[in-house]
Amino acid sequence: MGRADRVITKHCVKNATLCVPESEAAAYAEYNPGMPILTHPDSLKGLARKRQFILERCGNHYQIDDDIKYIQRLYVEKGEKVPMDADEAYDVIQYVGNMAKLAGCFLFGFSKQRNPLQYVDHKPIRLTGILNGSMGILEGSKLFFSEKAVVSEDYWICGLNAYHHRMLWCDERFAELGEKAFHNLGGCSNYRTIEQEKEDTLFLRQSFGEAIQMKHDTSLAKRKHPYQRTLKIPF
């Protein structure tokens, strides 16, 4: 939404479809020729509602942000190429989705770490925790997106998945590199305020209790805002 001339994900992964408000379809078609476009009513506001709209209309699918620069490998040696090309990125998404299906998982995605130095080569697959932003959802799940998780729909869906299905499939060998949410105008940045972050964190605590905890600064990363949260599932 609001980024017709700034869709950069189209360069990093093949065979993507744009999901946009009806009133913006013409602009997105003009700036992104050849890309399939799925439209939703302008009255459908918020990322959680858009994600649910996609979930109800697509089968096995991968929801990816529009501002991803590239999908990268984390298992690299010094001097090796980190970013993947668009065809390889598409193949990796299919591969990880198929592995999730074979393992009996309904939710899948990539590592939340973006620095190859943080990759642990003895732990390439993670079966619990959080997927940040982009995610794949397979048919037959009990998953849905709550409208109350306005800017935390990823935490909501991961908590709900743990409740119903216990496992997710996260391939830690790959990650996405995108624009910073608070600096890229349009999309969910229009309503991602500190007050909304606070309301979302309270809602998640009401829904999942102690599994939602407040994040603290570490030597490797500082919090972006005081209501930043983490998901700690007890299994």
Side-chain angles (χ1 to χ4, degrees), residues 166-182:
R166 294 186 69 83
M167 295 191 308
L168 55 76
W169 188 267
C170 180
D171 198 318
E172 298 280 354
R173 296 172 296 175
F174 308 100
E176 297 172 359
L177 183 69
E179 296 286 354
K180 294 181 179 180
F182 284 91

Side-chain angles (χ1 to χ4, degrees), residues 181-210:
F182 284 91
H183 293 83
N184 192 16
L185 298 178
C188 63
S189 64
N190 292 344
Y191 50 84
R192 188 183 290 277
T193 64
I194 297 299
E195 185 59 32
Q196 188 61 62
E197 294 282 0
K198 177 182 178 180
E199 291 182 14
D200 272 39
T201 296
L202 291 174
F203 168 66
L204 291 172
R205 285 277 294 180
Q206 292 170 352
S207 301
F208 302 117
E210 292 298 321

Side-chain angles (χ1 to χ4, degrees), residues 38-119:
L38 172 65
T39 61
H40 61 74
D42 287 2
S43 58
L44 191 155
K45 303 289 186 181
L47 186 54
R49 295 182 67 191
K50 176 173 284 195
R51 284 193 185 276
Q52 182 63 24
F53 177 88
I54 296 171
L55 178 59
E56 292 173 357
R57 284 157 181 78
C58 301
N60 298 330
H61 67 282
Y62 186 76
Q63 299 184 11
I64 186 170
D65 293 337
D66 63 0
D67 57 356
I68 301 300
K69 296 178 180 178
Y70 54 79
I71 297 177
Q72 65 181 33
R73 302 177 184 84
L74 296 178
Y75 58 97
V76 292
E77 298 292 340
K78 185 177 180 179
E80 287 187 324
K81 180 183 176 183
V82 173
M84 294 185 286
D85 62 40
D87 287 307
E88 187 176 13
Y90 173 79
D91 290 341
V92 165
I93 292 172
Q94 307 306 308
Y95 163 75
V96 176
N98 281 320
M99 292 301 99
K101 184 176 181 179
L102 289 172
C105 300
F106 292 97
L107 189 66
F108 70 92
F110 300 142
S111 175
K112 61 182 179 180
Q113 305 294 345
R114 295 171 177 83
N115 186 344
L117 295 176
Q118 293 177 292
Y119 172 65

Side-chain angles (χ1 to χ4, degrees), residues 101-183:
K101 184 176 181 179
L102 289 172
C105 300
F106 292 97
L107 189 66
F108 70 92
F110 300 142
S111 175
K112 61 182 179 180
Q113 305 294 345
R114 295 171 177 83
N115 186 344
L117 295 176
Q118 293 177 292
Y119 172 65
V120 181
D121 52 4
H122 294 298
K123 296 180 180 180
I125 304 298
R126 175 165 56 83
L127 300 177
T128 189
I130 184 72
L131 297 176
N132 289 120
S134 303
M135 64 189 70
I137 303 176
L138 302 181
E139 294 175 311
S141 77
K142 298 179 181 179
L143 303 179
F144 67 92
F145 291 93
S146 171
E147 295 183 9
K148 293 183 179 180
V150 178
V151 294
S152 60
E153 79 294 333
D154 44 4
Y155 280 82
W156 162 265
I157 206 72
C158 290
L160 188 65
N161 178 77
Y163 177 76
H164 284 301
H165 305 300
R166 294 186 69 83
M167 295 191 308
L168 55 76
W169 188 267
C170 180
D171 198 318
E172 298 280 354
R173 296 172 296 175
F174 308 100
E176 297 172 359
L177 183 69
E179 296 286 354
K180 294 181 179 180
F182 284 91
H183 293 83

